[in-house]
């Protein structure tokens, strides 16, 4: 679902940009008749594209993990998109080349900014891949089900990890080889070490 919407969003953004570029080029080269013709022809597709652009954008926004240090990039992007709309409407209506070019600049700029934002966050393109590479992400993926977010859950007879007296090596050993009713967890040696360190420093004693 998320990936499908993301791909749709990319596609409509590209189509949206394409229509914009063509319109701006026609306006800048004084091909007013062609511009009017083109505008008329793409009116309905453009409406559908704008609607999809907005709808997929709002959905994706609700899926973003806010609270990171790059949030401002995202808000600048949204600001640029929102500013470009009235500028474009006025620019094309009054056939004002400066405004039309400015709105195109804003919308392409916001596209570039979105790329930077997603690269920095390392999300969105591939369902938060970054998650399974951090100790916390690894813990959540492999342990949370039985031990809970904070280690205290104790589902299926699991032990409270905040109260364990085991050291980091013993924890790693249990992750890799299991203990009584806890089956071994399918992670690599390095991943087990990361998770054990996470349990030791972030969960124990809290
Ligand atoms: C399917 C449920 C389940 C999952 C998933 C699971 N555990 Fe456990 N865990 C248990 C159970 C049950 C015990 C109690 C074993 C026993 O009888 O001593 C346990 C015990 C432990 C203990 C021993 C605590 C003590 O003081 O004796 C540690 C450490 C531990 N788990 C860490 C982890 C970590 C880290 C992960 C993720 C990599 C994980 N577990 C995933 C069920 C689970």
């Amino acid at each position: 679902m998320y990936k499908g919407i993301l791909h749709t969003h990319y596609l409509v953004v590209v189509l949206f940009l394409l229509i914009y570029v063509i319109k701006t080029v026609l306006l800048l080269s004084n091909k007013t008749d062609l511009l009017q013709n083109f505008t008329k022809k793409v009116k309905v597709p453009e409406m559908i594209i704008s609607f999809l652009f907005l709808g997929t954008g709002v959905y994706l926004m609700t899926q973003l993990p806010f609270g990171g240090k790059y949030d401002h990039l995202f808000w600048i992007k949204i600001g640029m998109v929102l500013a470009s709309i009235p500028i474009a409407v006025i620019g094309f209506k009054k056939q004002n080349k400066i405004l039309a070019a400015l709105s195109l600049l804003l919308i392409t700029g916001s596209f570039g900014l979105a790329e930077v934002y997603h690269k920095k966050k390392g999300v969105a393109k591939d369902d938060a891949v970054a998650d399974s590479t951090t100790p916390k992400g690894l813990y959540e993926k492999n342990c949370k089900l039985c031990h809970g977010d904070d280690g205290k859950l104790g589902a299926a007879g699991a032990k409270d990890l905040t109260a364990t007296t085991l050291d980091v090596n013993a924890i790693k050993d249990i992750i890799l080889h299991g203990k009584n009713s806890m089956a071994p967890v399918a992670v690599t040696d390095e991943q087990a070490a990361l998770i054990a360190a996470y349990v030791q420093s972030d969960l124990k004693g809290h």
Side-chain angles (χ1 to χ4, degrees):
M1 166 85 167
Y2 177 81
K3 274 212 175 135
I5 304 254
L6 186 68
H7 290 149
T8 312
H9 189 66
Y10 268 91
L11 182 71
V12 293
V13 167
V14 169
L15 288 174
F16 192 81
L17 271 176
L18 202 68
I19 293 178
Y20 246 75
V21 170
I22 295 173
K23 278 190 182 179
T24 311
V25 169
L26 290 177
L27 181 64
L28 292 186
S29 54
N30 293 319
K31 303 220 163 64
T32 332
D33 287 348
L34 262 177
L35 174 62
Q36 262 164 11
N37 223 324
F38 180 75
T39 305
K40 234 186 239 151
K41 282 222 170 81
V42 295
K43 196 166 179 181
V44 174
E46 197 183 358
M47 262 160 63
I48 298 169
I49 288 168
S50 309
F51 178 77
L52 284 174
F53 182 11
L54 204 77
T56 52
V58 169
Y59 169 81
L60 290 172
M61 230 171 106
T62 64
Q63 304 296 305
L64 278 175
F66 282 116
K69 62 179 194 195
Y70 301 111
D71 283 5
H72 63 281
L73 287 179
F74 179 80
W75 294 117
I76 296 171
K77 162 191 151 183
I78 296 291
M80 284 165 91
V81 173
L82 291 182
S84 73
I85 296 169
I87 295 176
V89 170
I90 298 168
F92 283 101
K93 196 163 215 168
K94 305 218 146 139
Q95 307 210 341
N96 183 315
K97 290 177 186 169
I98 296 174
L99 287 184
L102 179 67
S103 78
L104 182 65
L105 207 70
L106 279 171
I107 201 104
T108 36
S110 71
F111 190 60
L113 203 61
E115 286 295 302
V116 174
Y117 169 76
H118 289 305
K119 283 228 171 71
K120 295 228 169 186
K121 291 272 284 203
V123 292
K125 286 214 160 152
D126 266 303
D127 279 9
V129 233
D131 253 1
S132 51
T133 61
T134 64
K136 187 169 193 273
L138 283 167
Y139 174 85
E140 282 172 357
K141 188 166 166 238
N142 297 293
C143 326
K144 185 177 155 179
L145 186 68
C146 301
H147 291 285
D149 261 327
D150 56 2
K152 292 183 183 163
L153 182 62
K159 293 251 168 87
D160 180 350
L161 295 181
T162 65
T164 184
T165 51
L166 298 166
D167 68 9
V168 94
N169 286 320
I171 296 173
K172 184 182 161 197
D173 199 61
I174 291 176
I175 297 170
L176 290 173
H177 307 291
K179 185 187 176 197
N180 303 323
S181 52
M182 174 176 154
V185 179
V187 289
T188 65
D189 206 72
E190 288 104 81
Q191 287 172 328
L194 286 174
I195 300 171
Y198 175 78
V199 171
Q200 179 77 11
S201 61
D202 287 71
L203 300 181
K204 252 171 87 170
H206 284 269

